[in-house]
Amino acid sequence: MRSIWNGAISFGLVSIPIKLVNATENHSISFRQIHLADGGRIRYRKVCELDEEEVSGSEIGKAYEDADGTMIPITDEDLAQLPLPTAKTIEIVAFVPADRIDPLQMDTAYYLSANGVPAAKPYTLLREALKRSNRVAVAKYALRGRERLGMLRVVDDVIAMHGLLWPDELRAPQDAAPDGDITVRDAELDLADALMDTLGEVDMDTLHDDYREAVEELVAAKAAGEIVLPAEPEDTGDGKVIDLIAALENSVRAARKSRNAEGAGDGDAGMADVHPIKKTSPKTSGKTARTPEAEQTTGTAKKTTHRTPTGKTVTRSESSTAKKSAPKSTGAKKSTSTTKKSAGSAGSTGSRTTAKKTTTKTATQTAKKTATKKRTSSSSGGTTAKKTASSRKRTSA
C-alpha cells in the first residue's frame, strides 16, 4: 500500500519513524455529467470573476473570505512559518480507556507502518504496551494543512489510527428527540426484545452494498444494449401510523420464517419433511420389487417358447416365468424353480415324451453297467479258482 504521509510517533522521549497508509477505500460508483442533447461531456473550468478568463492551476492561490466578503490572501509561506509542532509528528498526549472515546468523533482510519528496521523495536514496544493496558492513545498530528486529533489502537499486529473530530465540532442533539412524554408498555418492550432475539447476530463480513451491485448490473445491461425493466417498488408503509403491537408481532413472525428458510433452504415450509426408509427382508424383496416393467416382461414371457437340447419345443408356464424374473433368488430357489419348471413342462406332450425317453435310456444304461460288472466278477472268480487248484496240485506233488 502506498503511504500518504511520513513522520514519527512521539512516545515520551522515544521517536518511532512510521508511514501513514489509508485503512479504507471507497467503492462508490461515480458518474459524469453529460449534455442530454448530444451526450457530450460537461466539464468545469476555473474562470476569474473579474476578467472572465480561464485560469490555470499555477495561477491559483489561497485566500480567507471575511464576513463582509473581503478576500485576505494566505500564502504557503505564511502557513509554513506557523508554530506547528505536530507538522511531521504524531504526538501522544494521553492513554485512556476505549469507552471514553465517543463513536461520533471517529473519522478516517489509517494504518501506521514501521518505517525501516530501526523502527521495528520501539514500534513493537508501543503495540504490546497498548495491548497489555487495554487502553488507547490520544494523539495530535498535522495532515493536509491542519492539526488533527487521533486515537491509536491495536488491530491484529498493526497500530491503527482513527482521525477524531475535535470536541467542539460535535453538534448537540437538540430538537432531535420526539416531543412530549411518551410511555412504552411492557408488552411492547417484550415484543421488541423477542424481535431482537429472533433477528440475532450477523457476520459483518457477509454484509455488502446491494445498491452498488444493482448499479453495476444496470450499467452492464445498458452497455450490452439490453432493455432494462423497472424493478417493482417495495411497500414501505408510506409513513402511515399503524398498530405497534400488530407490527411487532408480524415482524417477529417474518423474522422467524426467514431464519427457518435460511436454515432449511425452503422458503415456504421452513422445515423439510423427513420420511423413514422402510426396510424389506431379503425373503420378501423379490415379491415387493414388482414394477410395471416387470409385469410387462412377465406378460411377454407367457407367450415365449424355447427349444430343449433334444429339439422339442417347450412352453414356459406363468409361475416359472414369474419365479425366474424375481431378483436376488438363492441357489435353493433356483433349483426349486427348475423343478417347478420341469413339473410345469410335464403338462405338455413333448415334455412327457422327453421324460419317458430319458427314463428308458437311463434304465438301459444302468442294466448294461450291471451286466458288465457281473461278467467281470464272474471271470475274475473263475480265474482265481483255477489259480488256487493249480497251486494245490503243485503242493501235493
Side-chain angles (χ1 to χ4, degrees):
M1 292 182 285
R2 186 176 63 88
S3 62
I4 61 173
W5 184 86
N6 291 343
I9 300 175
S10 176
F11 178 34
L13 297 178
V14 179
S15 180
I16 310 172
I18 55 95
K19 295 185 292 184
L20 194 68
V21 179
N22 280 322
T24 60
E25 55 187 4
N26 187 6
H27 290 165
S28 299
I29 299 176
S30 59
F31 298 100
R32 304 294 185 185
Q33 291 184 334
I34 60 171
H35 187 197
L36 293 177
D38 53 13
R41 172 83 178 274
I42 303 297
R43 297 181 180 273
Y44 291 96
R45 291 182 173 87
K46 297 178 180 180
V47 178
C48 177
E49 292 182 352
L50 298 179
D51 55 17
E52 297 183 353
E53 292 183 1
E54 187 176 350
V55 182
S56 62
S58 60
E59 301 177 283
I60 299 175
K62 299 183 183 70
Y64 177 80
E65 185 177 4
D66 203 356
D68 58 359
T70 304
M71 294 295 178
I72 303 173
I74 302 294
T75 64
D76 292 337
E77 289 76 11
D78 295 335
L79 296 175
Q81 293 174 3
L82 294 177
L84 187 61
T86 57
K88 285 292 182 181
T89 305
I90 298 174
E91 182 182 356
I92 296 177
V93 296
F95 292 90
V96 298
D99 56 5
R100 287 275 302 276
I101 305 298
D102 192 341
L104 288 174
Q105 288 184 256
M106 291 189 179
D107 199 3
T108 310
Y110 306 94
Y111 289 135
L112 303 181
S113 174
N115 192 2
V117 177
K121 179 71 174 183
Y123 182 94
T124 305
L125 173 63
L126 176 60
R127 183 191 68 195
E128 297 303 317
L130 289 172
K131 280 184 179 180
R132 192 169 69 172
S133 66
N134 292 323
R135 290 183 290 179
V136 297
V138 178
K140 290 182 177 181
Y141 66 101
L143 183 65
R144 298 186 179 97
R146 54 168 293 194
E147 189 174 54
R148 303 171 187 265
L149 192 64
M151 179 191 72
L152 275 64
R153 68 184 184 98
V154 178
V155 177
D156 294 336
D157 290 332
V158 178
I159 299 176
M161 183 175 69
H162 295 267
L164 298 179
L165 300 175
W166 296 99
D168 58 358
E169 292 180 323
L170 295 179
R171 299 173 61 182
Q174 295 177 352
D175 303 329
D179 296 332
D181 188 10
I182 300 176
T183 303
V184 178
R185 293 178 294 174
D186 291 339
E188 295 169 341
L189 284 174
D190 293 340
L191 284 173
D193 291 339
L195 178 58
M196 293 168 62
D197 294 338
T198 304
L199 292 175
E201 299 181 357
V202 66
D203 184 3
M204 298 297 292
D205 294 334
T206 62
L207 302 179
H208 57 279
D209 189 350
D210 294 327
Y211 179 77
R212 178 171 59 88
E213 293 182 356
V215 172
E216 291 175 349
E217 293 176 1
L218 172 65
V219 172
K222 286 210 165 190
E226 299 176 359
I227 299 176
V228 181
L229 299 176
E232 295 182 0
E234 297 182 359
D235 185 12
T236 57
D238 298 331
K240 297 178 181 178
V241 179
I242 58 176
D243 184 4
L244 185 57
I245 294 291
L248 288 172
E249 290 176 347
N250 293 333
S251 299
V252 171
R253 290 194 205 97
R256 287 176 179 171
K257 184 177 180 181
S258 177
R259 287 289 180 183
N260 292 336
E262 290 176 1
D266 187 355
D268 297 328
M271 297 294 291
D273 293 333
V274 180
H275 300 283
I277 299 176
K278 295 181 179 179
K279 295 183 179 181
T280 57
S281 61
K283 294 182 179 180
T284 60
S285 61
K287 297 180 181 179
T288 58
R290 273 282 179 94
T291 60
E293 291 80 358
E295 295 290 342
Q296 293 177 2
T297 306
T298 306
T300 306
K302 289 178 182 179
K303 301 177 182 180
T304 304
T305 57
H306 293 272
R307 261 178 208 281
T308 62
T310 58
K312 300 292 183 178
T313 302
V314 180
T315 303
R316 291 186 178 177
S317 63
E318 180 181 356
S319 59
S320 64
T321 308
K323 295 284 183 179
K324 194 172 183 179
S325 60
K328 297 183 179 179
S329 58
T330 59
K333 288 185 178 181
K334 288 183 179 179
S335 61
T336 307
S337 176
T338 307
T339 306
K340 290 184 177 181
K341 277 196 248 182
S342 302
S345 301
S348 62
T349 306
S351 59
R352 289 176 182 174
T353 307
T354 304
K356 288 181 179 180
K357 289 184 178 181
T358 303
T359 304
T360 306
K361 189 175 181 179
T362 304
T364 305
Q365 291 177 354
T366 304
K368 287 182 180 181
K369 288 182 180 179
T370 304
T372 303
K373 285 182 180 181
K374 287 182 178 180
R375 290 173 187 172
T376 305
S377 59
S378 60
S379 61
S380 59
T383 305
T384 305
K386 287 180 180 180
K387 286 182 179 180
T388 304
S390 175
S391 60
R392 284 177 181 175
K393 287 180 180 181
R394 290 175 184 173
T395 304
S396 61

